[in-house]
Amino acid sequence: MLILAIDTSGRIASCSLFEDGHERAYCYRDSQLDHSRTILPLCHDMLEKEGLHFHDIDAFAAAVGPGSFTGIRIGVAAVKGFALSGNKPAAGISTLEAAAAEVMEEGLVCSIIRAREDEYFYAFFRRERGELFRICPDGCLLGKELKALLYGATWRLCGDGASDFFEKYPCKNATLTDKVQNARGVAACAWELAQCDSLSDGDEIVPVYLKKTQAERMREEKLK
């Protein structure tokens, strides 16, 4: 089974090709959030190097958030187009879970993405006997609130907001990793869904923001 996964939730755009549970190819580009011009050529170039076309792919996956509102919309739209045009299954993967999937050491994992100001998107996981288990839903907290939740256990921190959080809120019981969300983690999570026949139709893949967009906040302010 071939899975093409993409991540456009942050500054780095990436795509990964998984074949039968193992990564076959991976590409990324620091597009500085210009994903609308980057992600399709990036996927095309990767597939071309592997001697493949989009119609050869069995399933598609995208990081659906949380993260950059615009980036998430671009990634979701791309995967919807891929899946619906080829009548192929798809998967929408939590950005936080994609980051946690990159941490292979056993134990507790806290995935962190910067939201705004002093707020952080987060989710807790546990790696046990090679499998990743989710402990809580994706959420958003102030930095001091998140630090309080980490108290009393040993954690590995991942995600592109982990270093910012760790610098502001040092935790003696936490270790900062270099693992961040990317298409490789998205593909790994999609592969696990495929194994339990839990892939979706393309039209079921939707963005997950957790917080309101700037346009929504501005509208609410005007209504007030």
Side-chain angles (χ1 to χ4, degrees):
M1 183 180 194
L2 285 169
I3 297 177
L4 174 62
I6 64 175
D7 175 33
T8 53
S9 63
R11 174 170 173 159
I12 306 296
S14 61
C15 56
S16 175
L17 180 66
F18 256 48
E19 183 172 22
D20 297 332
H22 302 282
E23 187 173 78
R24 175 168 167 175
Y26 176 76
C27 290
Y28 73 94
R29 186 172 300 163
D30 186 349
S31 61
Q32 300 184 43
L33 295 175
D34 192 13
H35 300 319
S36 60
R37 298 184 180 183
T38 302
I39 194 60
L40 293 181
L42 199 63
C43 291
H44 180 272
D45 291 347
M46 182 182 70
L47 292 177
E48 188 174 52
K49 289 178 182 178
E50 294 298 316
L52 298 169
H53 300 280
F54 283 100
H55 60 73
D56 296 315
I57 304 302
D58 298 305
F60 298 90
V64 296
S68 161
F69 292 136
T70 302
I72 292 167
R73 286 195 295 269
I74 291 170
V76 168
V79 160
K80 278 181 174 289
F82 296 155
L84 293 174
S85 63
N87 195 27
K88 301 290 180 67
I93 304 299
S94 159
T95 316
L96 293 162
E97 188 166 352
E102 290 288 279
V103 181
M104 303 309 297
E105 293 85 359
E106 299 269 301
L108 296 171
V109 179
C110 176
S111 187
I112 306 173
I113 296 174
R114 181 80 179 272
R116 65 172 69 96
E117 298 174 357
D118 192 38
E119 292 182 310
Y120 297 89
F121 298 119
Y122 76 97
F124 298 154
F125 302 87
R126 184 179 75 257
R127 174 75 68 177
E128 184 176 318
R129 297 180 182 179
E131 292 189 56
L132 187 68
F133 299 94
R134 179 181 282 274
I135 297 175
C136 71
D138 294 352
C140 185
L141 288 173
L142 293 172
K144 62 181 181 181
E145 295 172 332
L146 178 55
K147 181 177 180 178
L149 288 183
L150 297 177
Y151 180 77
T154 300
W155 297 88
R156 286 185 172 85
L157 308 183
C158 64
D160 66 7
S163 59
D164 179 81
F165 170 81
F166 195 70
E167 181 179 349
K168 293 179 179 178
Y169 299 95
C171 303
K172 294 181 179 180
N173 58 317
T175 301
L176 182 64
T177 73
D178 61 353
K179 305 302 183 182
V180 299
Q181 66 273 22
N182 58 57
R184 181 181 290 118
V186 174
C189 293
W191 170 255
E192 293 299 325
L193 289 176
Q195 298 317 290
C196 56
D197 197 27
S198 296
L199 296 176
S200 307
D201 294 328
D203 56 6
E204 295 179 20
I205 308 303
V206 296
V208 178
Y209 297 131
L210 292 188
K211 293 187 71 64
K212 295 177 181 178
T213 66
Q214 182 178 1
E216 289 173 321
R217 296 197 308 272
M218 292 176 64
R219 181 175 182 273
E220 289 180 355
E221 287 299 320
K222 288 183 179 180
L223 291 176
K224 289 179 181 179

